[in-house]
Amino acid sequence: MAGDPYKELGVSRGASADEIKKAFRKLAKELHPDKNPGNREADERFKRVTAAFDLLGDAEKRAKFDRGEIDADGREQFRGFGGGARGGAGGSPFGQGGGPRGGFENVDLEDLFGGMFGGGARAGGPRGGFSARGADVKATLEIGLEDAISGTTRRIQFSDGRTLDVTIPKGAADGQVIRLRGQGAPGASGRSEAGDALITLKIAPHPVFQRDGADLTMDLPVSLPDAILGGKVPVRTPEGTVNMTIPPGSSSGKVLRLKGRGAFVGGKRGDLLARLMILLPDSPDEGLTKVAQAMRDKGAGRP
């Protein structure tokens, strides 16, 4: 990264964790590549800001940096042997005599050993484990019951302004976590592997269906003639409307079952349970009133 991570984020060394996080989010939104296409300067600054937050956003790394144990790239600072070796006249850091050379204090190990062995440590990719993998980011995505059952694609926006299309698998469960590889925070200095995005699914309450494990329950209004004589009535299901056969003489509260029309639990699908709710006409019906009176006179229909 080079430079001071505090200066990159524009915060003081005494800044709180919340102040650091707030500063990073603000800069990330301003500098994100999606908002600055083709702007190389903004892209480089975005990488430096991300690397600075990767270091200062981690309490342990920040403490090590403040103590001088690691540099701005997270690389350990070698402290030397027995209080520090001194370089000799021949330029060797292990020699005797000559002026103070500071031992290995603040020596970049990659530069030191890379030069001794042909500079292999710079040959692309993460540098010997010194560059940290990017952090994972987490978010919650609320979906409808129908989407959880049938599967769909939904778009989610993160706090840094990025948007991602999330594929919801068929039979998704409440609380299920979807991992999007490489869609998290960038690695340190933009050279390490990016973290992942972890999306937790939350199934919203439904206005018609109630969940009972893998089964769904609902109230199904039916007319008095259909309840007495039987018939076919339309029933809403998660995949659309189907016709259900009402047996003759069905009472209010009777439960009818549609197999395989429920929700998913453990990869297995439950049923849809429809509880009949008999509806009477909104206005009095003379014929119906007479029939009901005759039934009452005979004592029929009483529990």
Side-chain angles (χ1 to χ4, degrees):
M1 180 180 70
D4 186 337
Y6 289 99
K7 291 182 179 180
E8 289 291 350
L9 294 178
V11 297
S12 67
R13 287 184 172 267
S16 67
D18 287 341
E19 289 173 334
I20 290 174
K21 184 182 295 186
K22 184 177 181 180
F24 168 68
R25 288 180 174 175
K26 179 181 179 182
L27 290 170
K29 289 181 180 180
E30 294 175 357
L31 300 170
H32 196 277
D34 289 347
K35 290 190 175 181
N36 300 275
N39 188 334
R40 191 167 185 177
E41 182 178 348
D43 183 59
E44 290 300 319
R45 179 80 196 286
F46 177 77
K47 292 178 180 179
R48 295 199 305 272
V49 165
T50 301
F53 181 69
D54 180 68
L55 189 148
L56 299 182
D58 184 305
E60 184 177 350
K61 290 181 183 178
R62 181 183 179 184
K64 287 184 176 181
F65 175 78
D66 289 344
R67 292 194 299 266
E69 296 175 8
I70 60 175
D71 65 10
D73 283 328
R75 296 174 296 194
E76 295 183 13
Q77 299 300 290
F78 198 79
R79 293 288 180 181
F81 304 96
R86 297 185 181 276
S92 169
F94 301 99
Q96 298 294 327
R101 297 288 298 276
F104 292 114
E105 184 72 24
N106 296 325
V107 172
D108 184 327
L109 294 184
E110 180 180 306
D111 291 340
L112 176 61
F113 295 109
M116 292 173 62
F117 298 103
R122 292 190 181 275
R127 298 176 294 173
F130 292 119
S131 293
R133 176 183 178 274
D136 293 339
V137 296
K138 298 179 180 180
T140 299
L141 177 61
E142 186 174 80
I143 59 175
L145 178 63
E146 289 90 348
D147 289 341
I149 291 174
S150 302
T152 187
T153 299
R154 292 284 301 277
R155 178 162 294 183
I156 186 171
Q157 183 170 7
F158 291 92
S159 58
D160 62 1
R162 289 186 304 139
T163 58
L164 289 175
D165 288 332
V166 181
T167 299
I168 311 299
K170 182 178 180 179
D174 188 60
Q176 180 175 338
V177 177
I178 297 178
R179 180 182 294 270
L180 302 179
R181 298 283 184 183
Q183 297 298 328
S189 302
R191 291 189 289 268
S192 297
E193 179 185 3
D196 300 334
L198 306 178
I199 313 299
T200 300
L201 301 181
K202 179 181 178 182
I203 301 178
H206 198 278
V208 175
F209 307 116
Q210 295 80 46
R211 297 193 61 166
D212 182 11
D215 292 335
L216 297 177
T217 63
M218 65 175 293
D219 291 335
L220 179 63
V222 295
S223 67
L224 184 59
D226 285 334
I228 295 174
L229 304 175
K232 291 184 178 293
V233 299
V235 180
R236 178 176 176 177
T237 76
E239 286 91 359
T241 301
V242 300
N243 288 324
M244 172 181 279
T245 299
I246 307 298
S250 293
S251 299
S252 189
K254 181 182 180 66
V255 176
L256 302 181
R257 182 185 301 268
L258 285 174
K259 288 188 174 295
R261 294 283 185 167
F264 285 88
V265 171
K268 295 183 178 180
R269 190 167 188 185
D271 302 330
L272 174 60
L273 307 178
R275 182 171 52 249
L276 302 186
M277 306 292 289
I278 298 176
L279 298 179
L280 295 176
D282 292 334
S283 57
D285 181 274
E286 184 177 352
L288 180 60
T289 301
K290 290 181 178 180
V291 171
Q293 185 63 51
M295 292 178 65
R296 174 181 288 180
D297 294 342
K298 292 181 180 180
R302 292 178 179 174

